[in-house]
Amino acid sequence: MSPIRFALLALLAACPSEEVALPDAGPPPPQAPVCGNGQRQVDEDCDDGNLQAEDGCSPECKNETLSFQQLALGLDEQHPFTCGLSQGSRVFCWGDNSFGSVGDGSLETADFADVLMPLDLPQVRLVVAGGAHACALLESGSVHCWGLATRGQIGEGPEGLLCGSRERDRCRTHPAPLPRATEVIELGLGVAHSCARLADQRVLCWGANGFDQVGDSSGASERADAVEVRHLPPVDLLAVGSFHNCARDLEGSVWCWGRGDLGQLGHGRLFNSWRPVKVQSLGQVSGLALGRAHSCALKDDGSMLCWGHNGYGQLGLGGMDGARRCGEGLSSRGHCFMSPRPVLGLADLNSIALAGDHSCSLGNDGAVHCFGHNALGQLGVGTNDGALCLPPDGREAACALSPLRLDALDGSAGLFAGGGRSCVLSESGLPLCWGGDDGNLPAAITLRPRASESTCGDAIIDADESCDDGNLNPGDGCSERCQLPRCGDAIVDEGEACDDANTEESDACLNNCQLARCGDGLLHRGFEECDDGEANGDEPGTACRTNCKRPGCGDGVLAAGEQCDDGNDIDTDACLSTCRTAVCGDGLVQAGVEECDDGNVVAEDACSDSCQEARCGDGIVRAGIEECDDGNDDAGDACTILCRDAVCGDIFRQRGVEQCDDGNANNRDRCLNNCDRARCGDGVHNRVDETCDDGNDDDDDDCPNDCGIEA
């Protein structure tokens, strides 16, 4: 015992009638915050009583923002939904839920919001999205699917809930396993079918089979059980499009099957095929991506080749016209390429993504280019305007026929495309998306896991909220994410024409949240060559034209030495990219005017001197192909409709020369071998009508003079 303590005790013992106060020790020292005890303390944003990540409150008791390693965008433009694979290998889905494609057990649409719940799945390796269904590939190699089940696209299993607008539609709102899909390495979904690549290099498909996309020769319209694709060599890469599929074999060649009426199978023909066919003139590839009716491949050298339908410019060729019309009727204006063609102006690419009728690429330098259909702003240029395009339904739409660069995008973690939408992931895993219901300009998306202590719309301003007015109504001063409106928040508020959540002044959205325009004095890279503001002009001596192009061929201003200038570099219209007027024989096919142009005006080759495709009946004899050509389709003159000289026995009766022509060498029918009609008394026994014919009209011999022909 210490001397001081002993002295105090002695004093108390000596003076029992007098109380002695001990020295005041003061309040107990404060305890250090303990994250995970369920009590929010100093220096903590939250405390949910656990150290679980991606549940709204991090293991460090800080508010969380979800970051992703991969995205999957639904293919249906009318019912868009998105799923993401988080950095913690958990699946989060949001968007339209009419068919249970969000997988949360309901059919209630999960509005694009900042709070999400993960699906009840173990560790996930990959998530993919189809038209109205989705699937997850687990680390174990098994597959779980959910969403629309009507066509067998999510495999065998319980019938599911009634959903959609048709009585036959059934949906499964929770992920369910596919019994036969085990040891899966790769997975892909179409509009209503699904395919998987297995560890043994085989491919299984199931779901809708109306275009032979399941690879089943039975002719069944759908298959709920997984079917092995026959006649396919061992493969190490799989890509699935809306209605067709492609795979790369171990030699690097590409094989495709399914819908092919628009050239998307790449084998030089226009028909569907359940049997995989080899893509022509492609060689080895490092990547594949498929859209609604077009296909693209990434080569080892970083170039991109595409084939199939080009009615929206989705092949990136600078124009739409293919070698022929195809697939959707001769009266349509669809244009197809049945073998791969290089995309113009793209090199050193890292990845490609296709969906619907648009295409995007990601370069090793981080540059993103998109081209094709832009009706929903899926090209990311801040508008749904573009060049005239000619889709098969005959409507005018907004298209980009050549790749357009999207500036100031960090897509280092991946590029993804869906129905009317496109996205990239930044290096930190944050999504940046454009098109569809998410807006036309690239906009940052902030997604948060659901936290129990923070609820937007409860009239309580939580730590991650700047306001909370007790509702989720946008446009009332407090957004549906409980944030005050401001330029740069990625939400287009009243008075704003755009909001791309950045401070870049040279992109399509200015820092005052107004759309960039030619003549504002700011250079918008990828869209303008120059912009001198009010100094722009079309007069001689001006450095920048009123369309924000540098003076020269292609600026839209007719200058000395130019025959024409239509303001573009398209070589298939009436004014060439050299500013010379298009003429027959220049080697370039003028859209809507010429059928062909072989660079000469020789009338006797496959392309006539009027740039029309050679055909029988055009009045020009092609040596070695035609014997004659009288410029008409009269089958009864000296030149038949097949452009062959008329002869007896060619089935065409030559007027004034032949009485008949039955196209055979049978001399005992009604037409003789000299093309005279058979008659009684000609000495030839016509077995059709005559019992005999002795070549005379004597009625007293063995053959009567009527040859035994019944009256």
Side-chain angles (χ1 to χ4, degrees):
M1 182 178 295
S2 68
I4 298 176
R5 182 70 172 166
F6 180 81
L8 287 173
L9 292 175
L11 180 61
L12 289 171
C15 307
S17 61
E18 184 177 352
E19 295 183 357
V20 178
L22 294 175
D24 187 4
Q31 295 182 348
V34 178
C35 180
N37 63 1
Q39 298 178 357
R40 182 179 172 186
Q41 297 170 292
V42 178
D43 296 329
E44 292 182 341
D45 294 337
C46 56
D47 196 319
D48 55 2
N50 65 61
L51 299 179
Q52 175 77 40
E54 296 183 344
D55 65 349
C57 189
S58 75
E60 294 78 30
C61 287
K62 300 296 182 182
N63 291 325
E64 288 182 302
T65 297
L66 281 173
S67 61
F68 297 94
Q69 53 182 300
Q70 181 241 322
L71 297 176
L73 281 64
L75 302 179
D76 188 346
E77 296 177 357
Q78 303 300 319
H79 301 279
F81 73 97
T82 305
C83 292
L85 181 61
S86 71
Q87 300 290 355
S89 298
R90 306 169 82 186
V91 175
F92 294 81
C93 296
W94 61 95
D96 188 280
N97 199 28
S98 303
F99 301 100
S101 44
V102 171
D104 61 358
S106 75
L107 296 175
E108 298 294 327
T109 292
D111 290 332
F112 182 77
D114 60 352
V115 285
L116 301 171
M117 289 291 288
L119 301 191
D120 186 15
L121 289 167
Q123 288 289 297
V124 176
R125 184 191 311 166
L126 175 73
V127 62
V128 289
H133 70 297
C135 295
L137 173 59
L138 308 188
E139 289 290 352
S140 64
S142 62
V143 174
H144 287 60
C145 297
W146 61 96
L148 185 61
T150 306
R151 303 301 302 278
Q153 58 264 57
I154 60 175
E156 300 172 294
E159 186 178 45
L161 299 175
L162 179 66
C163 62
S165 59
R166 301 180 303 177
E167 293 184 0
R168 64 188 297 264
D169 287 337
R170 294 291 186 274
C171 303
R172 287 184 225 155
T173 58
H174 286 290
L178 272 67
R180 288 194 59 189
T182 59
E183 298 185 352
V184 174
I185 299 297
E186 194 173 12
L187 192 62
L189 307 186
V191 168
H193 79 287
S194 311
C195 293
R197 178 172 64 87
L198 308 185
D200 61 6
Q201 300 170 338
R202 293 182 298 131
V203 171
L204 301 179
C205 294
W206 59 95
N209 194 40
F211 298 103
D212 298 324
Q213 62 265 49
V214 172
D216 175 27
S217 61
S218 69
S221 62
E222 57 193 52
R223 292 292 297 263
D225 56 322
V227 178
E228 180 180 354
V229 178
R230 295 189 294 132
H231 305 289
L232 180 67
V235 297
D236 58 6
L237 182 66
L238 172 67
V240 178
S242 294
F243 307 103
H244 72 295
N245 320 289
C246 294
R248 180 185 65 188
D249 67 20
L250 303 186
E251 303 298 325
S253 297
V254 175
W255 301 76
C256 299
W257 67 98
R259 186 171 185 176
D261 60 333
L262 297 174
Q264 59 266 55
L265 301 187
H267 65 314
R269 297 186 178 183
L270 297 172
F271 56 77
N272 305 337
S273 179
W274 65 266
R275 180 195 296 263
V277 293
K278 190 174 183 179
V279 178
Q280 297 178 347
S281 307
L282 182 58
Q284 295 187 344
V285 303
S286 59
L288 291 170
L290 311 183
R292 180 186 72 90
H294 71 299
S295 312
C296 293
L298 180 62
K299 301 284 286 184
D300 291 337
D301 61 3
S303 62
M304 181 178 181
L305 285 82
C306 295
W307 62 95
H309 190 224
N310 194 40
Y312 298 90
Q314 61 264 49
L315 302 189
L317 307 181
M320 291 171 292
D321 287 341
R324 58 181 290 182
R325 291 169 176 166
C326 51
E328 296 180 345
L330 291 178
S331 62
S332 76
R333 294 176 288 182
H335 301 271
C336 300
F337 289 82
M338 296 180 288
S339 59
R341 301 295 180 92
V343 178
L344 302 176
L346 293 183
D348 194 28
L349 300 182
N350 174 270
S351 62
I352 57 177
L354 276 62
D357 297 303
H358 78 288
S359 312
C360 293
S361 68
L362 174 63
N364 285 315
D365 59 356
V368 175
H369 291 78
C370 292
F371 44 97
H373 205 191
N374 193 38
L376 293 175
Q378 55 263 57
L379 304 188
V381 296
T383 174
N384 60 0
D385 293 335
L388 175 67
C389 53
L390 305 174
D393 57 12
R395 295 176 302 171
E396 296 182 0
C399 295
L401 310 182
S402 300
L404 296 177
R405 175 166 179 156
L406 282 68
D407 285 328
L409 287 185
D410 175 13
S412 54
L415 172 68
F416 310 91
R421 299 175 294 151
S422 310
C423 293
V424 293
L425 283 178
S426 68
E427 184 178 4
S428 60
L430 297 179
L432 188 70
C433 297
W434 57 94
D437 290 341
D438 300 339
N440 292 334
L441 284 167
I445 301 174
T446 301
L447 299 170
R448 302 183 188 278
R450 188 179 299 278
S452 58
E453 62 181 6
S454 176
T455 303
C456 179
D458 60 2
I460 300 173
I461 301 178
D462 297 304
D464 57 346
E465 299 174 341
S466 60
C467 61
D468 196 320
D469 55 1
N471 65 61
L472 299 178
N473 300 328
D476 62 354
C478 184
S479 75
E480 65 270 30
R481 304 177 197 174
C482 289
Q483 302 298 317
L484 292 172
R486 61 180 178 82
C487 179
D489 60 4
I491 302 172
V492 180
D493 298 303
E494 185 177 357
E496 297 178 340
C498 58
D499 197 320
D500 56 1
N502 66 48
T503 58
E504 176 61 48
E505 191 74 344
S506 61
D507 59 8
C509 187
L510 304 182
N511 285 348
N512 60 358
C513 288
Q514 300 301 311
L515 288 173
R517 60 179 180 82
C518 177
D520 58 14
L522 299 170
L523 178 61
H524 309 292
R525 301 185 187 92
F527 309 101
E528 301 174 331
E529 296 178 2
C530 58
D531 197 324
D532 294 340
E534 295 181 357
N536 290 351
D538 294 332
E539 300 77 19
T542 54
C544 189
R545 298 300 192 199
T546 55
N547 58 5
C548 289
K549 289 188 175 183
R550 295 287 185 193
C553 178
D555 62 4
V557 179
L558 185 62
E562 297 178 339
Q563 293 180 349
C564 58
D565 196 321
D566 55 3
N568 64 54
D569 57 358
I570 297 173
D571 277 328
T572 58
D573 57 9
C575 186
L576 305 182
S577 59
T578 57
C579 290
R580 315 299 293 177
T581 303
V583 295
C584 177
D586 59 14
L588 300 169
V589 178
Q590 187 178 356
V593 178
E594 300 174 333
E595 294 179 353
C596 59
D597 197 319
D598 54 4
N600 64 56
V601 289
V602 176
E604 291 79 14
D605 58 9
C607 186
S608 73
D609 55 1
S610 61
C611 287
Q612 303 301 306
E613 292 180 351
R615 67 185 186 279
C616 177
D618 59 8
I620 302 173
V621 179
R622 270 90 186 169
I625 300 176
E626 300 172 330
E627 295 177 355
C628 59
D629 197 320
D630 54 4
N632 64 54
D633 57 359
D634 185 354
D637 57 11
C639 185
T640 71
I641 58 175
L642 301 178
C643 289
R644 296 286 186 268
D645 290 328
V647 294
C648 179
D650 61 6
I651 210 172
F652 301 107
R653 186 176 70 84
Q654 188 177 1
R655 287 189 307 275
V657 178
E658 299 173 336
Q659 295 178 356
C660 59
D661 196 322
D662 55 4
N664 64 52
N666 183 3
N667 205 33
R668 294 194 172 188
D669 56 10
R670 290 174 176 164
C671 188
L672 304 182
N673 286 352
N674 61 0
C675 290
D676 287 341
R677 291 192 184 94
R679 60 182 178 80
C680 177
D682 59 10
V684 180
H685 180 192
N686 173 9
R687 293 180 177 178
V688 179
D689 302 308
E690 300 173 336
T691 59
C692 61
D693 195 321
D694 56 3
N696 63 58
D697 57 359
D698 188 352
D699 202 24
D700 294 327
D701 55 11
D702 292 335
C703 185
N705 58 7
D706 61 0
C707 296
I709 301 174
E710 295 182 2

